[in-house]
Amino acid sequence: MPAVSKAPAATRVSAPPTFLPLPLLVALFCVLWSSAFAGAKLALADCPPLILLTLRLLLAGAIMLALAPLWDKGARRHGLPPIRRRDIAALIGIGILNNAVYLGLNWTALTFTSSAYTAVLTSCLPLLVALGAGPLLGEKMSPAKWAGIALGLIGVVIVLRSRLAGAHETMAGTLLIGGGVTALAAGTLAFKYLAPRGGIWSGNAVQCLAGGLALIPVALATESTGDIRLTANLIGGLAFLVIGVSIGGYGLWFYLLTRASATAASSLHFLMPPLGLFFGWLLLGEVVPPLDILGIVPIALGIWLVTRPTKGTG
């Protein structure tokens, strides 16, 4: 379970208490987040990436905005402070980083890379966050945590070498995914540093709508609506991405960020490679090379080292 650090007051009160235990929420987040790569890959066969992403974000944002007064009522009862203009501005900026840039680059890459490879590279997030968490957030990194991040990266490199050496993936796709995960790291650090006020649902709604609106001109300028084919895969995939991932997955992600340090929360992404490999195999029939399985071992050990509580933390 991630070690909980002392977060700014605005961050601590932004999420209402939950009746579900934290380990169960962590497991649910990991399943939803990792399955999103395969779900997106399935839907992208019948719709250009940026158009599909724009639809997903606008639909999810509209639904959450409508439900926010109901869901955030509990947060208000537990002392949610009033939202300010700077909070709205922060949520808009974070939404553009996490949704428009991160997902836009990732989904473009998914049109010619495997979902499993995308999941593996995205698991580099904890290293990028850890590099910024010290100077920006004052988070202390113990030698054990650095060792855990190193082990996690070793596992990622094993899978990376397996995929590139076998000519299964391309450098262009690798660079797009790398740019996306860098944007996600920046959004994660900004969320913890700026600690914007607002409930989980209203805050997530603002971020989705900001990302969707920012993508509209780019999507219309680079893609054609004539390439959209209304198939069962597209409709089902879009529904899952809107409800399961944008509303469920991102809602859980920001909830976990309010309950754990940025480094501990982001280290959950080391679980994405094995889950991403599994969902890619299960839903898309993607081949899993033996070296991919080998890479899971240091990844599992790394996440244990990074997320285990240290003395003096709860």
Side-chain angles (χ1 to χ4, degrees), residues 136-224:
L136 285 176
L137 307 176
E139 292 184 8
K140 295 181 179 179
M141 291 293 294
S142 66
K145 293 185 185 298
W146 279 116
I149 287 178
L151 283 170
L153 285 175
I154 288 172
V156 170
V157 168
I158 290 173
V159 179
L160 188 68
R161 184 179 182 279
S162 169
R163 294 290 178 132
L164 288 177
H168 298 295
E169 312 293 349
T170 65
M171 185 54 67
T174 302
L175 292 175
L176 284 172
I177 299 166
V181 74
T182 301
L184 181 59
T188 299
L189 290 169
F191 182 83
K192 293 293 289 187
Y193 181 78
L194 298 174
R197 296 176 180 178
I200 290 293
W201 297 105
S202 56
N204 200 6
V206 171
Q207 292 178 69
C208 280
L209 291 173
L213 292 173
L215 280 172
I216 288 177
V218 182
L220 294 179
T222 59
E223 299 172 349
S224 172

Side-chain angles (χ1 to χ4, degrees), residues 174-294:
T174 302
L175 292 175
L176 284 172
I177 299 166
V181 74
T182 301
L184 181 59
T188 299
L189 290 169
F191 182 83
K192 293 293 289 187
Y193 181 78
L194 298 174
R197 296 176 180 178
I200 290 293
W201 297 105
S202 56
N204 200 6
V206 171
Q207 292 178 69
C208 280
L209 291 173
L213 292 173
L215 280 172
I216 288 177
V218 182
L220 294 179
T222 59
E223 299 172 349
S224 172
T225 55
D227 294 329
I228 301 174
R229 297 189 299 273
L230 290 178
T231 64
N233 282 346
L234 174 58
I235 296 172
L238 180 60
F240 170 71
L241 291 168
V242 169
I243 304 299
V245 183
S246 282
I247 296 178
Y250 267 85
L252 281 170
W253 170 238
F254 290 113
Y255 179 86
L256 293 173
L257 275 178
T258 66
R259 292 295 181 259
S261 70
T263 302
S266 64
S267 66
L268 295 172
H269 286 257
F270 278 148
L271 290 173
M272 302 311 164
L275 290 171
L277 294 175
F278 171 73
F279 285 113
W281 167 79
L282 179 68
L283 300 177
L284 303 171
E286 294 178 352
V287 177
V288 180
L291 277 179
D292 288 7
I293 305 298
L294 178 63

Side-chain angles (χ1 to χ4, degrees), residues 23-233:
L24 183 58
L25 293 177
V26 168
L28 181 58
F29 162 74
C30 290
V31 170
L32 288 173
W33 195 277
S34 58
S35 63
F37 297 103
K41 183 80 173 179
L42 202 64
L44 285 171
D46 299 306
C47 185
L50 297 185
I51 291 177
L52 179 64
L53 179 56
T54 301
L55 290 173
R56 164 191 164 177
L57 294 175
L58 293 179
L59 285 172
I63 292 172
M64 284 186 290
L65 197 61
L67 295 177
L70 174 64
W71 289 105
D72 290 341
K73 187 183 297 184
R76 288 195 298 272
R77 286 200 300 266
H78 290 84
L80 179 69
I83 195 167
R84 304 157 296 182
R85 288 183 180 178
R86 70 173 293 273
D87 300 317
I88 297 293
L91 289 170
I92 289 173
I94 294 167
I96 291 174
L97 284 170
N98 285 349
N99 293 312
V101 182
Y102 160 60
L103 290 175
L105 293 175
N106 261 20
W107 282 28
T108 301
L110 274 172
T111 59
F112 56 92
T113 62
S114 68
S115 66
Y117 188 65
T118 306
V120 169
L121 289 191
T122 302
S123 71
C124 291
L125 176 69
L127 175 64
L128 299 178
V129 170
L131 291 175
L136 285 176
L137 307 176
E139 292 184 8
K140 295 181 179 179
M141 291 293 294
S142 66
K145 293 185 185 298
W146 279 116
I149 287 178
L151 283 170
L153 285 175
I154 288 172
V156 170
V157 168
I158 290 173
V159 179
L160 188 68
R161 184 179 182 279
S162 169
R163 294 290 178 132
L164 288 177
H168 298 295
E169 312 293 349
T170 65
M171 185 54 67
T174 302
L175 292 175
L176 284 172
I177 299 166
V181 74
T182 301
L184 181 59
T188 299
L189 290 169
F191 182 83
K192 293 293 289 187
Y193 181 78
L194 298 174
R197 296 176 180 178
I200 290 293
W201 297 105
S202 56
N204 200 6
V206 171
Q207 292 178 69
C208 280
L209 291 173
L213 292 173
L215 280 172
I216 288 177
V218 182
L220 294 179
T222 59
E223 299 172 349
S224 172
T225 55
D227 294 329
I228 301 174
R229 297 189 299 273
L230 290 178
T231 64
N233 282 346

